[in-house]
Amino acid sequence: MDKLIFAAFLLDLVLGDPRRSTHPVVIMGKLISFLEGFIRRFFQTSSSLKFGGIVLWLITVGLSYFLTFFVIKLAYGINIWMGHVVSVWLLYTTLAVRNLSDEAMGIFYELKNGNIEKARVRLSGIVGRDTRELQQDEVCRATVETVAENTVDGIVSPLFYAFIGGPPLAMAFKAASTLDSMVGYKNERYLHFGWFSAKMDDFLNYIPARLCGVFMLMAAAVMGLDIRRGFVTAMKDSRKHESPNGGIPESITAGVMGIRLGGINYYFGEPHIRAYLGEKLREIVPEDIKTVVVLSVISSAIALMLGELLLLFF
């Protein structure tokens, strides 16, 4: 399995995220939308909606796991090479190393070319906050925060579950993550229906987020960044974040780079204050996007290499 995970990681670096209707995440999204509409017909009170949300999570994650398991088993039944190819492709679709980097660097190049409007549009594709009125420093902050946080759930967590349980468990995690991104909101529509998906996302990312913090400090050392300040910032500020996991990569990123993250974000025109992470030793600039992308890629590579090494001994 270790060689298959390595191959999937390399494939992601080379090809990036396939944007096709057959992509497992696209299929998951359609399944979630269908199930939500179906389940809401039978569960309408706040308490029953919570139960309906549990049903939604169990069906979506369970189907993702078992369908992946049986598809791979069927492929290996044809021949071993078919099994390897299918396993690598499915693992590859759970990773977002190249996609996260490309999206962030696309924003960086728009800013460097003075195209703030295009940068805002590209940013809107990877964040949930309002972007139409953001100035350059806020576009940079949003991009840095997104890359740091998504290094966990977009890369390190899928790798973590792939090493533990292969493609089926990695795909099950991806389903849980997709559920959180679609229904895990604390608004009127999803406060009750999406609470279980949000809680499970926090639970599933808990260990990977802390491992990612270690990997980021190791990557920062490779890059010559301030790992001491990164560690101190994480100890001091990570718990201020609204997410029990997101605060770790974001605070470490802020610390090693000497910038301050957090502040006021707008969602559907409404201001939401996010606690500050790190000290504002300097203004945030577009080059910080490049730095966080390199930090993310090196952290991901470290996660891959350490996972491979552990499989040699266990």
Side-chain angles (χ1 to χ4, degrees):
M1 181 54 65
D2 56 331
K3 294 181 178 62
L4 300 183
I5 297 173
F6 185 80
F9 189 91
L10 290 182
L11 191 63
D12 181 69
L13 286 179
V14 173
L15 299 182
D17 199 25
R19 300 177 183 275
R20 299 188 182 96
S21 59
T22 55
H23 191 294
V25 173
V26 175
I27 296 173
M28 289 174 191
K30 292 179 179 178
L31 174 64
I32 292 167
S33 296
F34 169 77
L35 288 175
E36 178 183 353
F38 181 77
I39 291 171
R40 282 183 180 274
R41 297 178 189 175
F42 304 96
F43 304 99
Q44 297 180 355
T45 65
S46 59
S47 58
S48 65
L49 278 173
K50 284 189 174 184
F51 181 76
I54 296 174
V55 172
L56 172 69
W57 192 92
L58 291 173
I59 293 175
T60 305
V61 175
L63 277 176
S64 298
Y65 180 91
F66 288 109
L67 283 176
T68 303
F69 177 85
F70 286 116
V71 166
I72 291 174
K73 185 175 182 179
L74 180 64
Y76 274 112
I78 298 174
N79 63 64
I80 190 170
W81 293 108
M82 179 65 75
H84 287 343
V85 169
V86 172
S87 295
V88 168
W89 185 81
L90 289 171
L91 281 170
Y92 145 66
T93 64
T94 68
L95 300 172
V97 186
R98 174 70 181 270
N99 188 56
L100 186 59
S101 300
D102 284 351
E103 292 296 332
M105 290 306 297
I107 295 167
F108 166 77
Y109 288 121
E110 296 294 358
L111 291 176
K112 293 299 289 184
N113 292 328
N115 299 323
I116 184 68
E117 289 294 338
K118 290 184 178 180
R120 290 167 178 161
V121 171
R122 294 201 65 154
L123 177 63
S124 68
I126 60 173
V127 301
R129 71 191 72 176
D130 300 340
T131 64
R132 284 183 295 179
E133 304 296 328
L134 296 184
Q135 299 305 307
Q136 177 173 286
D137 61 334
E138 286 296 297
V139 171
C140 292
R141 174 172 74 86
T143 307
V144 169
E145 289 173 350
T146 296
V147 172
E149 186 170 11
N150 281 283
T151 299
V152 177
D153 56 13
I155 306 170
V156 175
S157 288
L159 282 175
F160 177 79
Y161 289 105
F163 279 117
I164 291 176
L169 198 58
M171 195 63 70
F173 168 78
K174 201 67 178 180
S177 182
T178 304
L179 276 163
D180 178 64
S181 68
M182 291 184 66
V183 305
Y185 297 103
K186 294 181 179 179
N187 55 26
E188 184 177 353
R189 179 175 177 81
Y190 291 116
L191 180 62
H192 302 294
F193 189 70
W195 75 277
F196 189 75
S197 292
K199 290 296 182 183
M200 289 304 297
D201 186 73
D202 289 343
F203 173 75
L204 293 173
N205 281 300
Y206 189 85
I207 294 176
R210 281 139 189 86
L211 290 174
C212 186
V214 175
F215 303 151
M216 279 189 159
L217 290 174
M218 295 170 69
V222 172
M223 296 169 66
L225 301 176
D226 195 331
I227 60 172
R228 181 182 180 279
R229 190 170 61 219
F231 178 78
V232 171
T233 302
M235 293 296 100
K236 180 170 64 74
D237 292 344
S238 62
R239 291 182 180 85
K240 298 177 183 177
H241 199 283
E242 59 189 13
S243 165
N245 302 316
I248 295 173
E250 287 191 33
S251 59
I252 288 175
T253 297
V256 300
M257 293 171 61
I259 58 176
R260 187 177 70 181
L261 300 177
I264 300 177
N265 300 329
Y266 286 85
Y267 296 88
F268 305 105
E270 296 294 326
H272 293 262
I273 300 175
R274 178 175 286 185
Y276 288 122
L277 307 176
E279 298 179 48
K280 190 177 182 180
L281 302 180
R282 60 177 178 81
E283 296 293 332
I284 190 167
V285 294
E287 281 70 19
D288 290 319
I289 296 175
K290 290 178 66 176
T291 302
V292 75
V293 166
V294 175
L295 184 67
S296 174
V297 172
I298 295 178
S299 300
S300 304
I302 290 172
L304 175 69
M305 289 186 291
L306 290 179
E308 298 283 351
L309 284 173
L310 286 173
L311 284 185
L312 292 177
F313 296 101
F314 298 98

